[in-house]
Amino acid sequence: MLITNEQLKSLILKNGLIDEIGFSKIEEEAKNAGYTISETLVEKDIISDENLGILISDFLKYPFIILAKITISPDVFNIIPERMARRKKVIPFAKDATGVKLAMTDPSNKELIQMISKKIGLPATTYLATEQDISNALKIYREDLQDTFDQLIKSSEIPMSKIVDLLINYASQDKASDVHIEPQEKDSLVRFRIDGILHDVLSLPKSLHDQIITRIKILSRLRTDEHLSPQDGKMRVALEDEEIDIRVSILPVTEGEKAVLRLLSSKFRKFSLVDLGMNEKDLKKVTTAYGKSYGMILSTGPTGSGKTTSIYAIVKLLNTREKNITTIEDPAEYRIKGVNQINVNTKTNLTFANGLRSILRQDPNIIFVGEIRDSETAGIAVNASLTGHLVLSTLHTNDAATALPRLIDMNVEPFLVASTVNVIIAQRLVRKICEICRSTRTITKEDLLRNLPSEIINNYIGEKTTITIYQGNGCKICNATGYLGRIGVFEVLEVTKNIRDLITKRNDADVILQKAIEEGMTTMLDDGLEKVLKGLTTIEEVLRVTKIQNK
Ligand SMILES: [Zn+2]
């Protein structure tokens, strides 16, 4: 531990980030959830990872470095072998005749510094870097995936277990959510889904395909002699720094069997609404809504829009010992300590509706229903939120306003919808521009008019004829895509008195949307364009996910 909890506490209090009571709450939450206080401070948005690093380095009088913002050449980082860099969380980032500069999560580790210094015969200066920053930067060590596999396959006895392990390791390092292994006519194609987009990453000889599938079936305890029916399973794989749960799906297709592995990494557990990109104004509306002990908070969007992740972020904020939180999901995507999570199981007739009924007998305070997709579930959820429970759920609608008539379509009385729903979040995920290779570009108003209605453009750039926007040129860190990570674009509809009146009178979504905008709501498109101007994403990304039509 670099600094003691007492030191950390006085630092945080001295900087006025929270008060004494706030800090004890953080301490208790950290203890309950089994995280460190630093992790909890970042997770609860008290301070960003980077600013916490700066604060600590200031206090300890170590210089601070942000590796994400510099380029490190191979002859510098290769001073230390990858394995050691990974284990000891240290990366050499600069070197000249006078010495080498090391980024470390613990620059007080004298033994390690001496060892490195002795090995290279140069003095070493140490810099503090955050753990997150170092873990991202470790990617520079990576060999090309195809090269690695071509080498492996050349050996006379191909180690099948190693091939599958390597695939999962690479996928995890790339922060891929899914690995697809597809039989083609002539070869086997491996693709990773990264930031929501599928990338071809590897082509293997067709002769290996069946062996890889068999290995995956063995690991997930599926039948290896069954080739004609779909099979679902689970496996757990130990990686260098974590154990990862993987959901496996095997499907027979024309050319053989296709496998999709869904990586349920606990590394993704650090999400908060601020990290997800929610702006202050929207955050305030959501905070007010979850501060109530009853009513409903709905999150909407298509599959893959991150709507469940936002609900998880709220559940984690609400997760204290004095509250009983129960979820029913299909299935639970992340495990949250201290929360009772139930999986829907159609085989045992444990549906959303049946599960919800049982949960209500367990004296819950907060209930998360994975999705409302039928009138039975809608009815029970609304009733629960009327009788002193805070109910969180997701709906499959395109925008926030549409969720209200959708509930009425599911046979919920309009006055019940009006009196229970507190707030509706609608969202999409856009890819973030890679900060390492980001550059600026000037575009004209005419360019913008080709894609967007003039009233929206005038709102944003006013009388200007050109504006500066950003793009990623592609580099090693972002696999030459120009994008790294994702961020949400949001609209948050607060059910105010005026909106309640409109719902009760069975107005359609358009009327509700107009009133909400009148009352100051910004749409996903507005929020997306705001993020374009800030250099977080591109217009192409915002248009891709909001699919605005030319007017
Ligand atoms: Zn890049």
Side-chain angles (χ1 to χ4, degrees):
M1 194 64 210
L2 206 45
I3 63 171
T4 64
N5 286 343
E6 269 314 303
Q7 288 169 325
L8 182 61
K9 179 177 174 180
S10 80
L11 262 182
I12 296 289
L13 295 187
K14 204 175 84 196
N15 281 277
L17 293 166
I18 36 171
D19 57 13
E20 189 99 35
I21 300 167
F23 196 88
S24 341
K25 257 194 192 156
I26 293 285
E27 277 178 316
E28 162 138 23
E29 275 162 26
K31 209 170 119 205
N32 287 344
Y35 300 153
T36 66
I37 291 179
S38 314
E39 282 175 324
T40 311
L41 284 167
V42 173
E43 195 164 298
K44 302 275 172 180
D45 294 325
I46 309 295
I47 187 169
S48 72
D49 182 59
E50 194 177 306
N51 285 340
L52 183 62
I54 293 171
L55 217 60
I56 294 174
S57 69
D58 231 39
F59 173 73
L60 295 173
K61 307 276 182 282
Y62 285 113
F64 186 67
I65 178 77
I66 302 169
L67 296 173
K69 293 192 175 156
I70 59 170
T71 314
I72 312 172
S73 77
D75 57 312
V76 174
F77 65 74
N78 278 323
I79 291 174
I80 294 180
E82 175 182 0
R83 183 167 286 271
M84 180 170 174
R86 241 172 234 293
R87 286 252 165 87
K88 304 285 185 190
K89 304 204 165 69
V90 50
I91 295 183
F93 65 92
K95 187 188 140 193
D96 58 23
T98 63
V100 60
K101 292 177 176 169
L102 305 173
M104 304 171 75
T105 53
D106 181 4
S108 69
N109 188 342
K110 290 220 171 62
E111 229 168 87
L112 179 64
I113 300 160
Q114 270 167 13
M115 195 182 89
I116 295 170
S117 174
K118 201 170 157 199
K119 186 175 161 241
I120 56 173
L122 281 173
T125 351
T126 54
Y127 286 67
L128 177 73
T130 72
E131 197 161 338
Q132 208 175 327
D133 190 30
I134 290 208
S135 124
N136 283 335
L138 281 168
K139 217 172 164 180
I140 49 179
Y141 283 100
R142 248 178 57 161
E143 306 258 322
D144 181 68
L145 187 62
Q146 187 76 52
D147 284 353
T148 312
F149 275 88
D150 289 348
Q151 287 300 326
L152 257 184
I153 291 162
K154 264 191 225 147
S155 54
S156 56
E157 248 179 62
I158 301 166
M160 207 44 60
S161 62
K162 205 167 174 195
I163 287 194
V164 174
D165 272 6
L166 255 178
L167 270 182
I168 293 166
N169 250 300
Y170 268 83
S172 161
Q173 284 174 23
D174 272 354
K175 299 196 168 66
S177 58
D178 304 82
V179 177
H180 292 229
I181 304 163
E182 301 174 11
Q184 312 267 43
E185 201 181 330
K186 295 200 177 76
D187 56 4
S188 175
L189 177 68
V190 178
R191 307 204 285 170
F192 290 173
R193 186 178 295 283
I194 302 167
D195 299 335
I197 309 263
L198 268 176
H199 300 272
D200 294 1
V201 291
L202 187 63
S203 155
L204 293 167
K206 178 98 188 217
S207 56
L208 286 182
H209 183 83
D210 290 348
Q211 297 178 56
I212 294 176
I213 297 290
T214 303
R215 173 75 192 159
I216 291 170
K217 283 179 175 172
I218 292 170
L219 286 173
S220 45
R221 295 196 197 93
L222 296 176
R223 287 185 55 181
T224 49
D225 58 345
E226 172 60 77
H227 302 286
L228 300 172
S229 311
Q231 296 192 71
D232 295 318
K234 253 188 203 170
M235 61 195 208
R236 173 168 273 203
V237 176
L239 302 179
E240 188 108 326
D241 49 354
E242 69 165 335
E243 288 223 324
I244 186 167
D245 286 321
I246 298 174
R247 240 179 22 232
V248 178
S249 154
I250 310 264
L251 193 69
V253 293
T254 345
E255 307 290 346
E257 286 174 287
K258 174 183 167 168
V260 176
L261 314 182
R262 160 69 53 97
L263 276 57
L264 304 169
S265 171
S266 57
K267 271 189 203 153
F268 298 127
R269 65 162 200 239
K270 278 187 187 140
F271 37 74
S272 68
L273 292 172
V274 174
D275 289 336
L276 296 170
M278 188 174 278
N279 67 40
E280 240 173 79
K281 190 189 67 179
D282 285 344
L283 198 60
K284 220 171 161 185
K285 292 188 219 166
V286 177
T287 313
T288 311
Y290 70 67
K292 296 180 182 168
S293 55
Y294 57 91
M296 275 176 116
I297 297 175
L298 297 172
S299 177
T300 73
T303 307
S305 61
K307 58 180 187 288
T308 310
T309 311
S310 289
I311 295 282
Y312 273 113
I314 298 173
V315 168
K316 292 183 72 174
L317 285 167
L318 293 169
N319 187 13
T320 54
R321 201 185 304 177
E322 62 269 28
K323 285 185 187 132
N324 174 1
I325 305 182
T326 309
T327 78
I328 177 147
E329 302 166 75
D330 186 19
E333 295 265 332
Y334 309 89
R335 280 188 225 132
I336 307 177
K337 267 189 197 165
V339 172
N340 308 297
Q341 292 173 283
I342 304 168
N343 282 329
V344 161
N345 187 343
T346 41
K347 278 181 204 146
T348 60
N349 201 26
L350 182 57
T351 58
F352 276 122
N354 285 338
L356 197 45
R357 274 194 206 95
S358 312
I359 291 172
L360 284 168
R361 288 191 283 270
Q362 296 256 324
D363 184 31
N365 302 103
I366 296 156
I367 307 165
F368 167 34
V369 187
E371 192 183 343
I372 296 179
R373 51 186 173 210
D374 56 71
S375 53
E376 198 185 2
T377 312
I380 309 170
V382 164
N383 264 316
S385 68
L386 268 178
T387 51
H389 306 96
L390 185 64
V391 177
L392 312 168
S393 191
T394 71
L395 270 179
H396 207 92
T397 63
N398 278 329
D399 61 16
T402 316
L404 295 161
R406 175 65 56 84
L407 282 174
I408 297 173
D409 288 345
M410 286 194 240
N411 298 324
V412 181
E413 287 295 330
F415 78 93
L416 286 178
V417 174
S419 52
T420 53
V421 180
N422 291 333
V423 92
I424 305 164
I425 305 163
Q427 74 178 88
R428 298 286 187 279
L429 290 173
V430 291
R431 287 184 291 166
K432 263 169 90 174
I433 297 175
C434 171
E435 281 185 32
I436 315 293
C437 60
R438 182 169 64 181
S439 67
T440 56
R441 160 166 87 101
T442 306
I443 55 165
T444 64
K445 197 166 185 172
E446 281 77 59
D447 290 334
L448 286 171
L449 281 168
R450 242 169 262 143
N451 287 312
L452 291 160
S454 55
E455 62 270 23
I456 288 178
I457 295 172
N458 288 334
N459 240 343
Y460 273 89
I461 67 171
E463 296 300 304
K464 283 184 222 154
T465 51
T466 62
I467 56 161
T468 303
I469 56 169
Y470 301 79
Q471 66 186 21
N473 297 327
C475 66
K476 189 165 179 186
I477 301 289
C478 62
N479 288 327
T481 58
Y483 293 101
L484 192 66
R486 285 190 292 178
I487 190 168
V489 295
F490 295 93
E491 67 186 35
V492 177
L493 194 158
E494 202 175 11
V495 180
T496 60
K497 183 176 178 306
N498 285 330
I499 303 280
R500 271 198 289 276
D501 288 347
L502 292 178
I503 301 169
T504 317
K505 289 176 190 144
R506 290 180 185 265
N507 279 282
D508 63 23
D510 276 342
V511 179
I512 295 172
L513 173 66
Q514 282 319 313
K515 178 52 86 183
I517 291 173
E518 233 173 77
E519 294 187 334
M521 182 185 86
T522 42
T523 64
M524 286 180 276
L525 181 61
D526 297 328
D527 189 38
L529 290 174
E530 197 65 54
K531 286 176 170 121
V532 169
L533 292 180
K534 282 186 182 155
L536 292 169
T537 189
T538 60
I539 292 184
E540 290 78 10
E541 275 296 288
V542 174
L543 291 175
R544 178 175 69 83
V545 299
T546 54
K547 287 199 189 76
I548 178 139
Q549 305 295 317
N550 284 320
K551 275 195 182 169

